[in-house]
């Protein structure tokens, strides 16, 4: 029998996961999504045929898994409103809200809940996401497997054994898509400067990134070796890569990711006090 999954919140991330679950064979009748507005729920119901409800407590009453997919700023109110029902039902709780620690979530939920924190990223919206997951001690092996299956519906899943490492996940994959979008911008601008039409430069840059990612994913060699394979001695690629190294690309990226992780820690402190 399929797990009964309720999504509290029916925004883009919830919709992406629901679509992935259904594509992987999870029955729509075992999925519920909630929102304060029937008008907001109508499109997701029409698209996927899932159940919808404007009453959060009623929607989680028979759930095996509850996915908290609301904005961090309203999470406390939502959790406290559900705490009595969830304490009686004790489903697996999965939070996809950035910056909210397990300690804060447990306090708002009444404590002792099997809880998984998930740091997804926006490519989940096209089924190519990367998510870091952390489980509290209350989560069973079966529930970890359920969480893995649910999030693998939209991409790669990696577990971390220390919650603090989710800040590093944020720096690598959570915010990571923006680093590549910036690279696409810069490559397009450089291509135009070199004489290419903007659309041509953009398509070439994006396809090149797609191809490089696929090679890195499928190859037995690490990225450093793949980079070397492209760099003929005295050639064009070697000249470009050496320039990037001398310009401090590696240092700049490291410092940017450290700043990202630091901001993630600051946000956790700010949001936990709400």
């Amino acid at each position: 029998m399929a797990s009964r999954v309720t999504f509290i919140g029916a925004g883009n991330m919830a919709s992406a996961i629901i679509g992935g679950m259904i594509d992987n064979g999870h029955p729509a009748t075992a999925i519920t999504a909630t929102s304060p507005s029937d008008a907001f729920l109508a499109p997701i119901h029409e698209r996927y045929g899932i159940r919808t409800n404007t009453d959060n407590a009623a929607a989680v009453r028979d759930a095996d898994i509850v996915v908290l997919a609301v904005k961090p700023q309203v999470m406390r109110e939502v959790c406290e409103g559900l705490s009595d029902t969830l304490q009686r039902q004790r489903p697996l709780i999965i939070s996809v809200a950035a910056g909210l620690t397990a300690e804060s979530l447990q306090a708002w939920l009444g404590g002792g809940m099997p809880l998984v924190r998930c740091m997804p990223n926006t490519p989940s919206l096209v089924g190519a996401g990367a998510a870091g997951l952390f489980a509290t001690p209350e989560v069973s092996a079966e529930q970890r497997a359920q969480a893995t299956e649910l999030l693998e519906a939209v991409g790669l899943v990696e577990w971390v054994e220390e919650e603090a490492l989710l800040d590093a996940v944020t720096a690598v994959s959570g915010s990571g898509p923006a680093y590549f979008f910036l690279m696409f911008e810069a490559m397009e601008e450089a291509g135009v400067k070199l004489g290419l039409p903007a659309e041509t430069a953009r398509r070439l840059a994006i396809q090149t990134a797609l191809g490089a990612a696929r090679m890195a994913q499928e190859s037995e060699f690490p990225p450093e070796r793949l980079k070397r394979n492209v760099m003929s001695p005295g050639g064009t690629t070697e000249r470009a890569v050496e320039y990037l190294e001398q310009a401090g690309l590696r240092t700049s990226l490291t410092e940017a990711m450290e700043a990202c992780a630091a901001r993630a820690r600051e946000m956790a402190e700010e949001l936990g006090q709400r």
Side-chain angles (χ1 to χ4, degrees):
M1 181 178 176
S3 299
R4 295 163 296 185
V5 184
T6 293
F7 289 79
I8 305 299
N12 289 337
M13 188 58 67
S15 180
I17 297 171
I18 290 167
M21 292 173 65
I22 290 174
D23 287 345
N24 286 348
H26 202 97
T29 52
I31 303 172
T32 302
T34 75
S35 174
S37 167
D38 276 321
F40 191 79
L41 289 169
I44 199 170
H45 170 71
E46 292 171 7
R47 182 175 182 182
Y48 298 119
I50 64 170
R51 298 160 59 192
T52 59
N53 204 321
T54 57
D55 184 336
N56 288 345
V60 303
R61 206 160 282 144
D62 64 348
D64 301 305
I65 302 171
V66 173
V67 182
L68 300 174
V70 299
K71 293 180 180 179
Q73 292 80 3
V74 300
M75 184 67 81
R76 180 172 186 168
E77 178 184 357
V78 168
C79 288
E80 289 179 344
L82 288 172
S83 60
D84 289 345
T85 304
L86 293 177
Q87 285 290 335
R88 288 192 297 270
Q89 183 71 16
R90 302 195 67 75
L92 171 64
I93 308 294
I94 300 176
S95 170
V96 297
L100 290 173
T101 65
E103 181 181 13
S104 293
L105 292 165
Q106 290 283 25
W108 301 337
L109 292 167
M113 296 296 295
L115 171 67
V116 169
R117 277 191 63 199
C118 171
M119 182 64 234
N121 66 4
T122 54
S124 299
L125 303 180
V126 294
L133 274 63
F134 167 77
T136 63
E138 295 86 359
V139 176
S140 68
E142 179 183 359
Q143 289 172 325
R144 283 174 71 107
Q146 289 175 325
T148 297
E149 181 180 7
L150 190 147
L151 272 305
E152 280 185 339
V154 289
L156 174 75
V157 168
E158 292 286 345
W159 286 89
V160 296
E161 298 308 314
E162 298 176 30
E163 185 176 11
L165 291 176
L166 287 180
D167 295 333
V169 171
T170 300
V172 174
S173 57
S175 298
Y179 314 156
F180 290 98
F181 298 148
L182 174 61
M183 188 76 168
F184 297 158
E185 280 186 80
M187 290 177 72
E188 178 183 339
E189 291 169 3
V192 169
K193 189 174 180 180
L194 290 167
L196 289 174
E199 284 294 327
T200 298
R202 182 182 307 166
R203 286 193 293 267
L204 287 171
I206 292 171
Q207 181 64 28
T208 299
L210 184 66
R214 185 169 175 181
M215 284 185 69
Q217 192 173 55
E218 296 181 3
S219 175
E220 62 181 294
F221 300 120
E224 192 279 335
R225 172 69 178 274
L226 295 176
K227 178 190 68 178
R228 288 289 168 192
N229 288 349
V230 186
M231 295 168 60
S232 300
T236 57
T237 307
E238 183 182 67
R239 176 75 62 86
V241 170
E242 286 179 351
Y243 189 92
L244 289 170
E245 291 282 14
Q246 290 167 7
L249 174 65
R250 194 181 297 264
T251 300
S252 294
L253 185 58
T254 299
E255 291 176 351
M257 292 172 64
E258 288 172 346
C260 179
R263 180 57 185 149
R265 291 189 292 272
E266 291 171 2
M267 288 178 62
E269 293 176 6
E270 294 167 4
L271 292 166
Q273 293 169 1
R274 291 180 183 270

